[in-house]
Amino acid sequence: MPVVIHIMAKVSINLATGSIQKEELIVGIDLGTTNSLVAFINPDKNPQVINDTGKGVLVPSVVHFGPTGDITVGNEAKDYLITDPQNTVFSVKRLLGRSYKDIENYKDFFSYKVIDDDSESLVKIKVGDKFYTPIELSGLILKELKVRAEHALKTPVNRAVITVPAYFNDSQRQATRDAGKLAGLDVLRIVNEPTAASLAYGIGLNPEETKTIAVYDLGGGTFDVSILQIQNGIFEVLSTNGNTFLGGDDFDSAIVDYWIEKNQLNKADLIADNKLAQRLRLKAEEAKKAFAHQSLFNEKIGDIWYTIDRNTFNELILPKVQETITCCQNALKDAKLEIGQIDEVIMVGGSTRTALVKKMVAEFFGRPVHDEVNPDEVVALGAAIQADVLAGNRSDILLLDVTPLSLGIETMGGLMDVIIPRNSKIPTKAGRQYTTSIDGQVNMKIAVYQGERDLIKENRKLAEFDLKGIPSMPAGFPKVDINFLLNADGILKIQAIELRSGVKQEVEVKPTYGITDDQVEQMLMDSITHAKDDVAQRMLIEARTEGEQMTYTVENFIKKYSNFLSITEISETTQYVQKLKDALTSGDKDLIHKSIDELNEFTRPFAERLMDEAISTAMKGKSIE
Ligand code: ADP
Ligand code: MG
């Protein structure tokens, strides 16, 4: 008997009154790298984007931190990219759920400070003397969208569907959920962007139809193409391909370089004259957009000619567009499909407005592409349709069984680490790798919880067992895979396996056993009303855990390698460790991060000097206990 829990998706929490509501609007949000926007289903039952009192539909995904603690998001913040780049954060989506190791190759791309105190933990961003996670920053963008939607619709907006690229991994999806929660949104589902785009075209809404489609998404700075198979209303991603550093910005740069050459400008002058560089960039974007309806762009400001015709533009961008076509080829190959097997091609992202892009994609697939829906709105519109389905307003559409509460395990400091997020379709499986935090640890406690709160003590315990007989190794060495498999009957199988030794342990539980719908509702409501405190606590605990780990590692290091270090080095390190220990008792997460950063900066040269591969590995890793 499958657990039928569709009704959970319809339960909502009104933050204003603190009560459960059965009928309430659910919005669809496209949280983009360059632009974000929100859409809803209007009373005529059509998806519609929200334009709050003429502020525009697209909200640039940019956050600025002012000197007095004032935060601005969107167009206003975008202006600060030129005047105050250190305090202006853009492209934060690139950092969501990523560790420093993931991004070190392109860290120069960011004009703000990305912190790298541990290559395997999630990145943080430093603005002034405060530390922010990409989750908090994305939360600020989502909050702005929520406020705009509430203002435009004159009703509280507490529930949302948020889209992510098809290639996002678990950690990036979880980070997106957390960002929503921080913004005070109950995130009912994370939907793939190509799936949303397809829904906006009405493809996949009919459960009878089987289709294979290609979704080509060229945004501001990223490109991806996904091949989807739709069957019985289920969207399966067959393959994705792309380049996370290719987009409309490259078209702008190509025009800028062309003008620099034509006007015989000096690149060094441009670096010195930020205003001119910026003007060139803005004019280039203007010219690019103008080619939608004219074939020549011609302006003169001061001594500089901003002249380019469409043919020249097409020549300039041809190699870039060709690159995207190669990605399409690879995506097809990975999906093991021939071009003729693609039934529909959908264009997504502002940059697909460029005629050459449309032409080349249509030529490659040998069929006309779908471009009837506004390409920078199509994802949000589709998300709104998905939201409407979840709200139960479309009786024609089948809702799949979902798990009503998140399932996860306890990690250091009593935190909940979600492995299967709530509202995941079942059956489903997910897993993550953990390690030990203490040298020679041979047992690992695995405690399984259900619920939405950040602290396990607020959630419901389902099972606990020990993975015993891990061979004695330094902390960080064991590799423990924890896999959750939730089958169609709602039975959760938990498997823990230490990969180096093969030590294994399994248990089974039924998460829905002994819990009523009312209790589930209550748990959901608590998670929203406590979201702010929970996240603050989680961040403090994470900072503490990181700090404790750091003191443990550094103290061990000094003990073991004292003869490699000078007396002054040892005493100064000890002072930094003490400062960190003091910070750990303070309850101030920024102070903890600051002290970690300082200790890290100070000890980095020793580590580089002394650490052999083995020790460096031992210093990294995420641990349960
Ligand atoms: P993302 O999904 O990365 O947030 P968008 O889909 O909003 O990005 O795309 C933004 C890009 O679309 C920018 O590079 C912008 O210059 C480009 N763009 C917007 N309108 C046009 C147009 N008419 N012609 C060409 N490019 C456009
Ligand atoms: Mg996009």
Side-chain angles (χ1 to χ4, degrees):
M1 251 293 285
V3 264
V4 182
I5 29 195
H6 320 152
I7 49 139
M8 296 320 310
K10 290 189 214 161
V11 177
S12 76
I13 302 132
N14 184 329
L15 286 184
T17 61
S19 64
I20 296 272
Q21 275 179 219
K22 294 287 176 195
E23 295 299 330
E24 194 205 325
L25 190 81
I26 311 176
V27 294
I29 294 178
D30 173 4
L31 181 62
T33 309
T34 317
N35 295 305
S36 299
L37 64 156
V38 51
F40 74 114
I41 300 293
N42 65 22
D44 300 331
K45 306 243 174 266
N46 291 317
Q48 184 183 330
V49 290
I50 289 172
N51 185 354
D52 181 25
T53 52
K55 282 187 190 162
V57 171
L58 299 183
V59 179
S61 306
V62 183
V63 183
H64 174 255
F65 295 89
T68 54
D70 49 317
I71 297 173
T72 44
V73 176
N75 271 316
E76 230 177 294
K78 199 175 165 185
D79 296 339
Y80 286 109
L81 280 174
I82 317 148
T83 53
D84 192 17
Q86 291 87 358
N87 298 314
T88 314
V89 182
F90 62 95
S91 271
V92 67
K93 186 172 174 180
R94 295 183 186 280
L95 301 175
L96 256 187
R98 307 320 299 269
S99 69
Y100 188 72
K101 206 169 84 188
D102 296 329
I103 62 144
E104 61 189 342
N105 291 336
Y106 58 90
K107 64 177 194 303
D108 295 340
F109 169 86
F110 304 100
S111 56
Y112 45 89
K113 192 161 189 262
V114 183
I115 301 291
D116 61 334
D117 46 34
D118 176 343
S119 70
E120 290 195 357
S121 61
L122 296 180
V123 296
K124 290 184 283 276
I125 291 145
K126 192 174 178 193
V127 183
D129 54 4
K130 281 208 174 303
F131 291 80
Y132 297 92
T133 61
I135 297 176
E136 289 173 282
L137 297 164
S138 303
L140 291 170
I141 297 169
L142 291 170
K143 180 78 198 227
E144 173 73 18
L145 295 173
K146 173 178 147 85
V147 168
R148 287 190 188 201
E150 288 177 337
H151 189 252
L153 303 174
K154 301 190 175 48
T155 169
V157 172
N158 300 319
R159 301 188 298 170
V161 165
I162 305 179
T163 57
V164 297
Y167 58 78
F168 257 30
N169 64 23
D170 280 349
S171 150
Q172 293 168 296
R173 284 165 199 264
Q174 186 57 39
T176 306
R177 274 179 187 277
D178 289 347
K181 197 160 149 187
L182 258 194
L185 290 168
D186 182 9
V187 182
L188 293 184
R189 184 136 335 152
I190 296 290
V191 175
N192 286 332
E193 288 162 11
T195 301
S198 167
L199 288 173
Y201 277 101
I203 304 169
L205 286 173
N206 174 2
E208 317 276 81
E209 89 190 331
T210 299
K211 276 207 159 140
T212 308
I213 64 167
V215 181
Y216 177 103
D217 184 346
L218 190 59
T222 59
F223 167 67
D224 56 89
V225 55
S226 312
I227 311 286
L228 307 183
Q229 181 147 59
I230 308 158
Q231 215 162 6
N232 306 324
I234 297 172
F235 289 75
E236 190 189 349
V237 180
L238 298 182
S239 68
T240 69
N241 209 291
N243 179 343
T244 49
F245 281 91
L246 197 170
D249 298 346
D250 295 305
F251 296 178
D252 304 343
S253 315
I255 301 179
V256 168
D257 289 345
Y258 174 77
W259 283 339
I260 288 175
E261 199 197 304
K262 285 285 159 194
N263 287 285
Q264 296 183 338
L265 300 172
N266 189 329
K267 278 213 173 180
D269 295 346
L270 288 176
I271 294 166
D273 188 352
N274 205 333
K275 283 238 159 60
L276 177 59
Q278 191 55 27
R279 157 121 28 92
L280 278 159
R281 223 189 52 70
L282 290 176
K283 280 284 157 212
E285 191 177 5
E286 206 181 309
K288 170 181 83 175
K289 291 184 180 173
F291 291 139
H293 46 85
Q294 66 194 55
S295 56
L296 178 70
F297 186 86
N298 191 16
E299 274 186 34
K300 185 172 186 241
I301 303 174
D303 298 332
I304 299 175
W305 282 97
Y306 298 87
T307 307
I308 184 166
D309 62 39
R310 197 196 276 141
N311 287 340
T312 310
F313 171 65
N314 285 348
E315 276 166 36
L316 293 176
I317 64 168
L318 183 67
K320 295 284 168 198
V321 187
Q322 189 53 54
E323 215 181 298
T324 69
I325 299 295
T326 308
C327 293
C328 294
Q329 233 154 7
N330 292 334
L332 274 178
K333 204 165 86 200
D334 291 345
K336 299 189 176 58
L337 291 175
E338 302 292 326
I339 285 177
Q341 290 172 282
I342 300 293
D343 301 313
E344 317 264 359
V345 181
I346 294 177
M347 301 301 265
V348 179
S351 300
T352 61
R353 287 227 185 75
T354 295
L356 181 71
V357 172
K358 268 191 244 190
K359 182 168 159 270
M360 286 176 66
V361 175
E363 269 169 18
F364 173 75
F365 285 101
R367 64 172 55 252
V369 296
H370 280 290
D371 62 354
E372 309 89 276
V373 181
N374 191 332
D376 36 39
E377 297 177 357
V378 63
V379 168
L381 293 170
I385 295 173
Q386 174 72 59
D388 202 38
V389 172
L390 289 176
N393 295 338
R394 290 177 176 241
S395 50
D396 50 325
I397 293 166
L398 180 83
L399 257 180
L400 297 160
D401 278 354
V402 295
T403 174
L405 291 169
S406 301
L407 299 163
I409 65 164
E410 174 180 1
T411 53
M412 284 190 60
L415 289 178
M416 171 91 170
D417 204 18
V418 172
I419 294 190
I420 297 182
R422 99 184 181 84
N423 274 329
S424 298
K425 280 181 245 167
I426 60 175
T428 182
K429 61 172 194 261
R432 204 161 292 167
Q433 198 170 85
Y434 298 90
T435 188
T436 52
S437 59
I438 298 169
D439 292 337
Q441 187 177 331
V442 292
N443 287 344
M444 190 185 257
K445 185 184 86 177
I446 292 151
V448 182
Y449 285 83
Q450 173 183 46
E452 306 315 303
R453 304 289 297 275
D454 288 283
L455 299 178
I456 47 103
K457 69 173 180 2
E458 312 285 355
N459 289 333
R460 183 168 177 254
K461 191 170 187 174
L462 296 175
E464 182 176 321
F465 62 99
D466 282 317
L467 180 64
K468 290 191 184 136
I470 301 172
S472 176
M473 286 181 253
F477 260 67
K479 285 185 176 169
V480 178
D481 262 2
I482 297 189
N483 294 306
F484 277 26
L485 195 144
L486 188 59
N487 73 15
D489 298 331
I491 301 202
L492 177 67
K493 188 183 274 181
I494 304 128
Q495 186 199 55
I497 176 164
E498 200 286 306
L499 297 178
R500 292 180 192 270
S501 59
V503 179
K504 193 164 135 181
Q505 179 85 34
E506 261 183 26
V507 296
E508 266 185 24
V509 284
K510 181 148 189 180
T512 44
Y513 182 77
I515 186 163
T516 64
D517 284 358
D518 286 347
Q519 285 167 321
V520 172
E521 282 185 15
Q522 189 58 45
M523 288 173 83
L524 292 180
M525 195 170 119
D526 287 348
S527 79
I528 296 291
T529 46
H530 293 97
K532 279 245 157 57
D533 293 345
D534 272 13
V535 175
Q537 281 208 54
R538 173 185 274 269
M539 286 191 297
L540 179 59
I541 292 173
E542 280 172 354
R544 275 200 184 130
T545 305
E546 198 179 324
E548 279 161 10
Q549 198 84 357
M550 182 98 189
T551 49
Y552 174 82
T553 313
V554 172
E555 283 179 336
N556 269 356
F557 187 76
I558 296 177
K559 254 188 253 155
K560 268 196 194 158
Y561 298 95
S562 56
N563 47 345
F564 286 99
L565 301 170
S566 74
I567 308 269
T568 2
E569 279 172 342
I570 294 179
S571 92
E572 284 190 49
T573 310
T574 314
Q575 280 172 31
Y576 277 113
V577 169
Q578 191 50 50
K579 223 175 132 189
L580 174 54
K581 284 183 172 171
D582 293 342
L584 288 175
T585 56
S586 71
D588 176 348
K589 86 165 164 73
D590 285 325
L591 188 62
I592 298 175
H593 283 308
K594 189 161 165 265
S595 312
I596 292 175
D597 215 27
E598 285 170 357
L599 176 58
N600 195 48
E601 281 297 308
F602 187 74
T603 55
R604 196 196 305 262
F606 317 158
E608 278 164 11
R609 212 164 70 208
L610 299 169
M611 262 200 285
D612 58 44
E613 185 53 28
I615 305 159
S616 88
T617 319
M619 287 179 80
K620 292 174 196 154
K622 191 171 176 188
S623 44
I624 292 188
E625 210 186 28

Tab-separated table of all heavy atoms in Angstrom, residues 30 32-36 58 61 217-222 247-249 252 285 288-289 292 349-351 353-354 375-376, ligand 1:
chain	number	residue	atom	x	y	z
A	30	ASP	N	11.930	31.729	-10.488
A	30	ASP	CA	13.142	31.406	-11.240
A	30	ASP	C	14.267	32.179	-10.567
A	30	ASP	O	14.363	33.398	-10.692
A	30	ASP	CB	12.965	31.826	-12.711
A	30	ASP	CG	14.247	31.692	-13.524
A	30	ASP	OD1	15.263	31.201	-12.987
A	30	ASP	OD2	14.227	32.076	-14.717
A	32	GLY	N	17.691	33.007	-10.816
A	32	GLY	CA	18.698	32.920	-11.878
A	32	GLY	C	20.064	33.432	-11.457
A	32	GLY	O	20.202	34.112	-10.440
A	33	THR	N	21.068	33.106	-12.259
A	33	THR	CA	22.426	33.594	-12.005
A	33	THR	C	22.480	35.096	-12.265
A	33	THR	O	23.086	35.850	-11.509
A	33	THR	CB	23.431	32.895	-12.954
A	33	THR	OG1	23.213	31.503	-12.867
A	33	THR	CG2	24.859	33.206	-12.576
A	34	THR	N	21.828	35.546	-13.323
A	34	THR	CA	21.848	36.957	-13.703
A	34	THR	C	20.585	37.670	-13.236
A	34	THR	O	20.652	38.734	-12.638
A	34	THR	CB	21.946	37.089	-15.246
A	34	THR	OG1	22.902	36.144	-15.720
A	34	THR	CG2	22.341	38.478	-15.647
A	35	ASN	N	19.436	37.065	-13.530
A	35	ASN	CA	18.148	37.676	-13.174
A	35	ASN	C	17.245	36.659	-12.500
A	35	ASN	O	17.286	35.481	-12.825
A	35	ASN	CB	17.435	38.150	-14.439
A	35	ASN	CG	18.186	39.260	-15.143
A	35	ASN	OD1	18.495	40.279	-14.549
A	35	ASN	ND2	18.496	39.051	-16.413
A	36	SER	N	16.417	37.167	-11.567
A	36	SER	CA	15.432	36.310	-10.923
A	36	SER	C	14.054	36.934	-11.111
A	36	SER	O	13.944	38.147	-11.320
A	36	SER	CB	15.731	36.189	-9.433
A	36	SER	OG	16.995	35.613	-9.242
A	58	LEU	N	12.128	41.486	-14.297
A	58	LEU	CA	13.395	40.841	-13.943
A	58	LEU	C	14.056	41.573	-12.782
A	58	LEU	O	14.202	42.788	-12.800
A	58	LEU	CB	14.346	40.853	-15.141
A	58	LEU	CG	13.876	40.128	-16.404
A	58	LEU	CD1	14.969	40.164	-17.465
A	58	LEU	CD2	13.470	38.694	-16.097
A	61	SER	N	20.006	39.495	-10.051
A	61	SER	CA	20.391	38.723	-8.865
A	61	SER	C	21.657	39.309	-8.242
A	61	SER	O	22.721	38.699	-8.244
A	61	SER	CB	20.625	37.268	-9.248
A	61	SER	OG	19.499	36.745	-9.924
A	217	ASP	N	19.183	26.521	-23.068
A	217	ASP	CA	19.096	27.670	-22.158
A	217	ASP	C	20.384	28.481	-22.177
A	217	ASP	O	21.402	28.062	-21.607
A	217	ASP	CB	18.779	27.156	-20.737
A	217	ASP	CG	18.578	28.285	-19.734
A	217	ASP	OD1	18.922	29.439	-20.042
A	217	ASP	OD2	18.071	28.007	-18.631
A	218	LEU	N	20.336	29.637	-22.812
A	218	LEU	CA	21.499	30.529	-22.863
A	218	LEU	C	21.163	31.806	-22.090
A	218	LEU	O	20.360	32.617	-22.518
A	218	LEU	CB	21.852	30.846	-24.322
A	218	LEU	CG	23.163	31.576	-24.585
A	218	LEU	CD1	24.376	30.821	-24.072
A	218	LEU	CD2	23.329	31.866	-26.073
A	219	GLY	N	21.767	31.933	-20.890
A	219	GLY	CA	21.471	33.074	-20.017
A	219	GLY	C	22.543	34.143	-20.121
A	219	GLY	O	23.153	34.325	-21.175
A	220	GLY	N	22.784	34.837	-19.001
A	220	GLY	CA	23.761	35.918	-18.990
A	220	GLY	C	25.188	35.386	-18.960
A	220	GLY	O	26.056	35.871	-19.676
A	221	GLY	N	25.412	34.407	-18.118
A	221	GLY	CA	26.778	33.905	-17.987
A	221	GLY	C	26.897	32.400	-18.081
A	221	GLY	O	27.977	31.846	-17.916
A	222	THR	N	25.786	31.729	-18.285
A	222	THR	CA	25.829	30.263	-18.304
A	222	THR	C	25.030	29.713	-19.478
A	222	THR	O	24.072	30.324	-19.938
A	222	THR	CB	25.204	29.680	-17.015
A	222	THR	OG1	23.862	30.109	-16.913
A	222	THR	CG2	25.973	30.098	-15.781
A	247	GLY	N	27.856	32.818	-22.039
A	247	GLY	CA	26.513	33.399	-22.046
A	247	GLY	C	26.507	34.748	-22.735
A	247	GLY	O	27.477	35.125	-23.416
A	248	GLY	N	25.416	35.470	-22.542
A	248	GLY	CA	25.234	36.771	-23.176
A	248	GLY	C	26.347	37.755	-22.828
A	248	GLY	O	26.681	38.631	-23.638
A	249	ASP	N	26.936	37.602	-21.633
A	249	ASP	CA	28.043	38.493	-21.257
A	249	ASP	C	29.187	38.386	-22.261
A	249	ASP	O	29.883	39.365	-22.534
A	249	ASP	CB	28.585	38.134	-19.866
A	249	ASP	CG	27.536	38.311	-18.776
A	249	ASP	OD1	26.504	38.958	-19.059
A	249	ASP	OD2	27.748	37.804	-17.661
A	252	ASP	N	28.499	40.526	-25.203
A	252	ASP	CA	28.800	41.927	-24.880
A	252	ASP	C	30.308	42.175	-24.978
A	252	ASP	O	30.747	43.160	-25.571
A	252	ASP	CB	28.312	42.295	-23.472
A	252	ASP	CG	26.827	42.022	-23.276
A	252	ASP	OD1	26.114	41.856	-24.288
A	252	ASP	OD2	26.388	41.977	-22.105
A	285	GLU	N	25.653	45.931	-24.706
A	285	GLU	CA	24.427	45.169	-24.436
A	285	GLU	C	23.251	45.803	-25.176
A	285	GLU	O	22.401	45.109	-25.732
A	285	GLU	CB	24.156	45.084	-22.927
A	285	GLU	CG	23.054	44.067	-22.617
A	285	GLU	CD	22.775	43.868	-21.127
A	285	GLU	OE1	23.370	44.589	-20.290
A	285	GLU	OE2	21.941	43.001	-20.810
A	288	LYS	N	23.463	44.862	-28.831
A	288	LYS	CA	23.086	43.457	-28.987
A	288	LYS	C	21.568	43.306	-28.995
A	288	LYS	O	21.008	42.611	-29.843
A	288	LYS	CB	23.712	42.666	-27.829
A	288	LYS	CG	23.239	41.244	-27.677
A	288	LYS	CD	23.899	40.561	-26.484
A	288	LYS	CE	23.182	40.890	-25.171
A	288	LYS	NZ	23.756	40.140	-24.030
A	289	LYS	N	20.924	43.984	-28.045
A	289	LYS	CA	19.462	43.889	-27.955
A	289	LYS	C	18.786	44.578	-29.143
A	289	LYS	O	17.749	44.132	-29.620
A	289	LYS	CB	18.966	44.484	-26.643
A	289	LYS	CG	19.358	43.655	-25.423
A	289	LYS	CD	18.773	44.233	-24.160
A	289	LYS	CE	19.167	43.405	-22.955
A	289	LYS	NZ	18.745	44.025	-21.694
A	292	ALA	N	17.627	42.934	-32.478
A	292	ALA	CA	16.353	42.223	-32.610
A	292	ALA	C	15.475	42.923	-33.655
A	292	ALA	O	14.683	42.285	-34.329
A	292	ALA	CB	15.637	42.166	-31.264
A	349	GLY	N	16.108	31.595	-21.779
A	349	GLY	CA	17.201	32.509	-21.447
A	349	GLY	C	17.224	33.702	-22.387
A	349	GLY	O	16.998	33.568	-23.592
A	350	GLY	N	17.504	34.876	-21.811
A	350	GLY	CA	17.473	36.134	-22.560
A	350	GLY	C	18.314	36.107	-23.829
A	350	GLY	O	17.954	36.724	-24.839
A	351	SER	N	19.430	35.372	-23.779
A	351	SER	CA	20.348	35.412	-24.923
A	351	SER	C	19.845	34.633	-26.131
A	351	SER	O	20.427	34.742	-27.209
A	351	SER	CB	21.717	34.885	-24.513
A	351	SER	OG	22.221	35.682	-23.476
A	353	ARG	N	17.311	35.374	-27.599
A	353	ARG	CA	16.645	36.357	-28.456
A	353	ARG	C	17.520	36.714	-29.640
A	353	ARG	O	17.050	37.239	-30.636
A	353	ARG	CB	16.367	37.627	-27.655
A	353	ARG	CG	15.252	37.457	-26.679
A	353	ARG	CD	14.303	38.663	-26.792
A	353	ARG	NE	13.287	38.563	-25.785
A	353	ARG	CZ	13.515	38.817	-24.528
A	353	ARG	NH1	14.719	39.179	-24.121
A	353	ARG	NH2	12.558	38.697	-23.650
A	354	THR	N	18.815	36.472	-29.514
A	354	THR	CA	19.725	36.757	-30.614
A	354	THR	C	19.384	35.851	-31.795
A	354	THR	O	19.357	34.626	-31.653
A	354	THR	CB	21.180	36.541	-30.134
A	354	THR	OG1	21.458	37.513	-29.134
A	354	THR	CG2	22.178	36.684	-31.263
A	375	PRO	N	11.570	34.299	-23.509
A	375	PRO	CA	12.571	33.341	-23.020
A	375	PRO	C	13.114	33.647	-21.623
A	375	PRO	O	13.626	32.746	-20.958
A	375	PRO	CB	13.685	33.415	-24.068
A	375	PRO	CG	13.538	34.749	-24.696
A	375	PRO	CD	12.061	35.049	-24.668
A	376	ASP	N	13.024	34.916	-21.179
A	376	ASP	CA	13.507	35.109	-19.816
A	376	ASP	C	12.395	34.988	-18.777
A	376	ASP	O	12.641	35.088	-17.586
A	376	ASP	CB	14.357	36.368	-19.617
A	376	ASP	CG	13.902	37.537	-20.442
A	376	ASP	OD1	12.672	37.722	-20.577
A	376	ASP	OD2	14.760	38.257	-20.949
B	1	ADP	P1	20.023	33.925	-16.205
B	1	ADP	O1	19.112	32.780	-16.478
B	1	ADP	O2	21.490	33.554	-16.290
B	1	ADP	O3	19.713	34.652	-14.945
B	1	ADP	P2	18.685	35.513	-18.303
B	1	ADP	O4	17.907	34.418	-18.923
B	1	ADP	O5	17.929	36.551	-17.557
B	1	ADP	O6	19.885	34.973	-17.417
B	1	ADP	O7	19.528	36.173	-19.495
B	1	ADP	C1	20.245	37.349	-19.328
B	1	ADP	C2	20.998	37.628	-20.623
B	1	ADP	O8	20.064	37.815	-21.697
B	1	ADP	C3	21.864	38.873	-20.564
B	1	ADP	O9	23.155	38.588	-21.091
B	1	ADP	C4	21.109	39.836	-21.480
B	1	ADP	O10	21.983	40.768	-22.110
B	1	ADP	C5	20.524	38.877	-22.508
B	1	ADP	N1	19.424	39.477	-23.270
B	1	ADP	C6	18.295	40.034	-22.790
B	1	ADP	N2	17.534	40.525	-23.797
B	1	ADP	C7	18.213	40.270	-24.957
B	1	ADP	C8	17.971	40.536	-26.355
B	1	ADP	N3	16.885	41.175	-26.753
B	1	ADP	N4	18.879	40.113	-27.256
B	1	ADP	C9	19.994	39.472	-26.854
B	1	ADP	N5	20.298	39.203	-25.571
B	1	ADP	C10	19.416	39.594	-24.628
